[in-house]
Amino acid sequence: MKLVYTSRTGNVEKLVNAVNTSNTLKIETGKEVLNEAAVLVTYTDGAGILPEVVRTFLDANKGKVRFAAVSGNHVKHPTTFTGAADILEKEYGIPVIARFDLAGSEAVVKAIRSALSEDKDDVEKLNRLLASQEVFTANLQLYHWYITGKQFFTLHPQLEDLYDAMRDDFDKSAELILTLNGAPKSTMTSFTENSVIGEASAAWISADDTLKALKDGYLSLIKLISSIKSETTNELVSISLDDMLKAYEKNVWMISQAQA
C-alpha cells in the first residue's frame, strides 16, 4: 500500500520521513494518479478545512485511499485543529486512524505503518486460502477418478460438481488478492507448501473414506476462512469470503447427513 501525503509547513513531511517507506507519493497538484490502495496523510487547512488539493486528488482517485491520518495546529485552532479528519470520514467515508498535532508522535508513526502493512497481512492469509483451495481441488479431482464401490454412480458426478465449484472459488481468491495489489501464488510448490490441506494419495478410495476426506477438507477451509474474517479490518475481504464460507458449511452439513 502506498503512502500519499501533502505538506505545507513541513510537519506532515517530517512525519512521513519518520514512517520511512519508499513507496510514497506527494500530492502537489491533485492531478497525481494513484495506481494502488493508499494511506493518506494531510494537514488541516485554516480552521478545520480539508485542503482543496486533497479534494481534487480524492475525486480523481475514487476508492483508492483506504485510511487517513490528519495533522493540525492545536495552539492556533484548539477546537478544529483536525477538522479535515471529520470531512474525510463524513464526506468521503475514509476511516481516520490518527489525529495529531503538528508533526505527530511515535504512536502516529506506528499507526501509519500498521495501516500500510494491513494489505500485506491479508494477502499472505488469502494466499494460504488460495493454496489450500488449489490442493483441495486436485484432491477432489483425484477422488472423482479413484472412488470405487456401490456409491460410485452417486458420488462420481457430485465430486465433479464440487471440483468445478472449488475451481471457481480458487479464481475468486486470486482476484481478491489482485484487488489488494498482491501477487497470487502460482506454482505447485508454493501451493503445497502453504496449504492447510494435505495432498491425497493416488489410490482407490471407498465412499466412506471419500466422505470423510471431503468433510475434513471443508472443515479446514472453514476454519481458515473464519480466521481470516475475524482478523481482517478490510470489509471487502470479509464480505468477499461470505459466500464461500456459507457454501462450505452447507457442504459439511450435507456430507454429515450422508454419513449418518
Side-chain angles (χ1 to χ4, degrees), residues 31 40 54 65 67 112-113 127 138 237:
K31 297 179 181 180
L40 166 69
V54 175
V65 174
F67 303 101
I112 294 173
R113 285 175 178 166
N127 259 318
V237 172

Side-chain angles (χ1 to χ4, degrees), residues 213-229:
L214 291 177
K215 186 174 182 180
D216 289 346
Y218 282 117
L219 285 174
S220 294
L221 292 175
I222 289 170
K223 182 178 179 180
L224 180 56
I225 292 175
S226 298
S227 175
I228 295 171
K229 284 174 59 64

Side-chain angles (χ1 to χ4, degrees), residues 89-110:
E89 289 185 330
K90 294 176 182 178
E91 294 187 22
Y92 292 91
I94 298 173
V96 175
I97 57 173
R99 300 169 182 242
F100 58 96
D101 198 32
L102 302 177
S105 63
E106 183 59 29
V108 178
V109 170
K110 289 181 179 180

Side-chain angles (χ1 to χ4, degrees), residues 113-148:
R113 285 175 178 166
S114 176
L116 289 170
S117 66
E118 178 191 325
D119 278 352
K120 293 180 181 178
D121 292 340
D122 283 340
V123 166
E124 181 180 349
K125 294 168 186 174
L126 288 170
N127 259 318
R128 192 174 302 121
L129 174 61
L130 183 76
S132 302
Q133 289 170 324
E134 174 63 13
V135 171
F136 195 45
T137 298
N139 289 355
L140 288 168
Q141 188 175 55
L142 186 146
Y143 302 146
H144 171 70
W145 288 337
Y146 280 87
I147 189 169
T148 185

